[in-house]
Amino acid sequence: MRVSLAPSHLRYRAPPGDRPQTAAPLLAPAGARVVLGGGRDAPGLAQPIAPGPTTLFGPRGATLADADGPLFVCDTGHHRLLIWRRAPDEDDAPADLLIGQPDFFREGRNAKAEIGAATLNVPSGVSAADGVLAVADAWNHRVLIWHGYPDASNRPADVVVGQADFRGGLANRGADSSRADTLNWCYGVTLAEGRLIVADTGNRRVLIWNEIPERNGASADIALGQRDMTTRDENAGGAVGALGMRWPHAIAVADQTILVADAGDNRVMAWRGWPEASGALCAYVFGQPDFAGQDHNRCAYYPTAAAMNMPYGVCVAEKRLIVADTANSRLIGFDWTDLGMGASASRLAGQRDFSDKGDNRWAPVARDSLCWPYGVSARGSTLAIADSGNNRVLLWELAP
């Protein structure tokens, strides 16, 4: 947990003359409606993070299948997926089901046993749509797919991609190069418009299956970030640009636009329309002024409305694009119609203004603060935020 108790005169803030316009609120100013895993025995002091039905350890992904649930949470540090049958309406509500461990009180990679159809090793991304659940099982280098949401603990997955079967767990199936049917540190997954999209992070690419796979080991149809399916070079082997990526981590899709959070290049990439072949160039980026930009916060210490520092999450909610600007411990929001090269955010959560940074605003954790948020998803007006550094998940409503 990252908490700073620095007094106000020591907190990092940009000089008043350099501050941007006041940001509009992205989320309800009162803070999260529900806090899971973040209960406290005393103000500012986190509970122990031993595994249980109410605790979380560095969660990196969370999503609501519908506004009423179920809610799925990647409890990454405990190597398990927690499931609430209905969206919780109280803080620290216990999960109903789990996948990845024999019970709520045990932990360990692959449940300290052999890899199988219901084990997990650093689960980091989760997506649910139309009865299909997909989990990015990052350190088993695979994505698990359930056709039908699990209705019992440790229900085995129906399909695995990235590996030939449920027993495989090697990066790129043990080869030195990538293929259309292999994965390497796959941290993000999205189901959209009948497709499966995976952030194949270690192979520096995003893979698209034009149909959700129904057989093990299925090959992807398209790769973004590389010219073909067999290369895996950072930024496609050249300077940062419109083709390659360095550390893709999450994907969002809306209005025939694909958005990829490229954390390593401190930007979000956007493609207009579904690409027809591998190696398609993105249309624009933001977080950087142009395709050549790469440095965090645009090579400055303080952030701005147009800069990012390791953005790991992205989603779309009610015509707003929302980015988890992870290392700046904030969420930033863009009006959909304002998106384009180098776009500036207009809305903010987790910090007081666009030039502020710091875990929990350099103060004790609060309902409206953030510490290294890794994942964000939306269902209607509700965001599910994996507030990883605070070992909690927030259900937080959009501001008007």
Side-chain angles (χ1 to χ4, degrees), residues 12 14-15 32 43 47 53 72 99 124-125 162 260 351 357 359 367 376 384:
Y12 296 111
Q47 290 179 337
F72 302 97
I99 290 172
S124 297
V260 174
Q351 303 290 351
K357 60 187 291 185
D359 306 340
R367 296 189 80 89
V376 58

Side-chain angles (χ1 to χ4, degrees), residues 12-370:
Y12 296 111
R13 296 172 66 85
D18 294 339
R19 292 180 182 273
Q21 70 277 12
T22 301
L26 173 62
L27 303 176
R33 172 172 56 85
V34 174
V35 179
L36 300 173
R40 290 165 294 182
D41 295 315
L45 300 178
Q47 290 179 337
I49 51 178
T54 63
T55 59
L56 298 168
F57 181 19
R60 288 199 173 193
T63 194
L64 284 162
D66 203 346
D68 296 327
L71 170 69
F72 302 97
V73 172
C74 288
D75 187 13
T76 309
H78 287 143
H79 307 285
R80 62 186 186 173
L81 180 77
L82 296 184
I83 304 171
W84 287 257
R85 290 191 177 96
R86 295 189 60 80
D89 55 11
E90 296 181 354
D91 288 356
D92 297 322
D96 299 301
L97 307 171
L98 86 164
I99 290 172
Q101 300 296 338
D103 57 54
F104 284 112
F105 303 98
R106 282 188 272 185
E107 60 182 332
R109 297 178 181 179
N110 294 310
K112 299 181 180 179
E114 298 297 320
I115 300 171
T119 73
L120 296 166
N121 185 359
V122 190
S124 297
V126 59
S127 185
D130 301 321
V132 178
L133 173 68
V135 175
D137 187 16
W139 285 21
N140 281 329
H141 312 287
R142 64 184 188 173
V143 170
L144 298 177
I145 300 170
W146 287 259
H147 290 282
Y149 299 144
D151 53 5
S153 289
N154 289 315
R155 177 187 144 183
D158 298 302
V159 175
V160 61
V161 294
Q163 303 291 347
D165 55 43
F166 291 112
R167 295 170 296 176
L170 296 178
N172 290 320
R173 301 193 194 184
D176 292 332
S177 62
S178 60
R179 299 194 314 244
D181 61 354
T182 69
L183 296 168
N184 180 14
W185 288 350
C186 47
Y187 281 109
V189 62
T190 294
L191 298 164
E193 300 182 18
R195 293 171 169 89
L196 172 71
I197 310 110
V198 176
D200 187 15
T201 311
N203 285 326
R204 323 289 185 175
R205 65 185 185 177
V206 167
L207 294 180
I208 301 173
W209 284 256
N210 288 331
E211 295 182 355
I212 297 172
E214 295 188 357
R215 64 175 180 82
N216 291 345
S219 295
D221 297 294
I222 292 169
L224 300 178
Q226 304 290 351
R227 293 179 176 83
D228 53 47
M229 290 286 189
T230 59
T231 52
R232 52 187 301 268
D233 297 322
E234 182 175 299
N235 287 317
V240 61
L243 168 61
M245 51 189 71
R246 188 179 181 199
W247 199 244
H249 203 272
I251 314 104
V253 178
D255 289 346
Q256 295 290 302
T257 300
I258 304 169
L259 299 129
V260 174
D262 179 15
D265 287 324
N266 302 291
R267 65 183 186 173
V268 173
M269 307 172 73
W271 285 259
R272 295 191 182 101
W274 291 100
E276 297 181 355
S278 296
L281 304 181
C282 71
Y284 59 89
V285 301
F286 47 101
Q288 301 292 349
D290 51 40
F291 290 125
Q294 184 178 31
D295 293 312
H296 72 269
N297 288 334
R298 296 194 180 188
C299 205
Y301 179 81
Y302 297 106
T304 67
M308 300 176 190
N309 189 354
M310 297 173 63
Y312 277 94
V314 61
C315 74
V316 177
E318 297 188 352
K319 295 298 182 180
R320 297 176 193 169
L321 175 71
I322 299 163
V323 177
D325 189 15
T326 306
N328 283 325
S329 289
R330 66 181 188 173
L331 300 184
I332 51 177
F334 302 77
D335 291 335
W336 188 258
T337 55
D338 293 338
L339 291 181
M341 184 67 79
S344 292
S346 58
R347 294 175 179 266
L348 178 69
Q351 303 290 351
R352 292 182 178 85
D353 61 43
F354 285 121
S355 62
D356 283 349
K357 60 187 291 185
D359 306 340
N360 295 313
R361 300 189 294 268
W362 303 121
V365 61
R367 296 189 80 89
D368 66 343
S369 71
L370 297 166

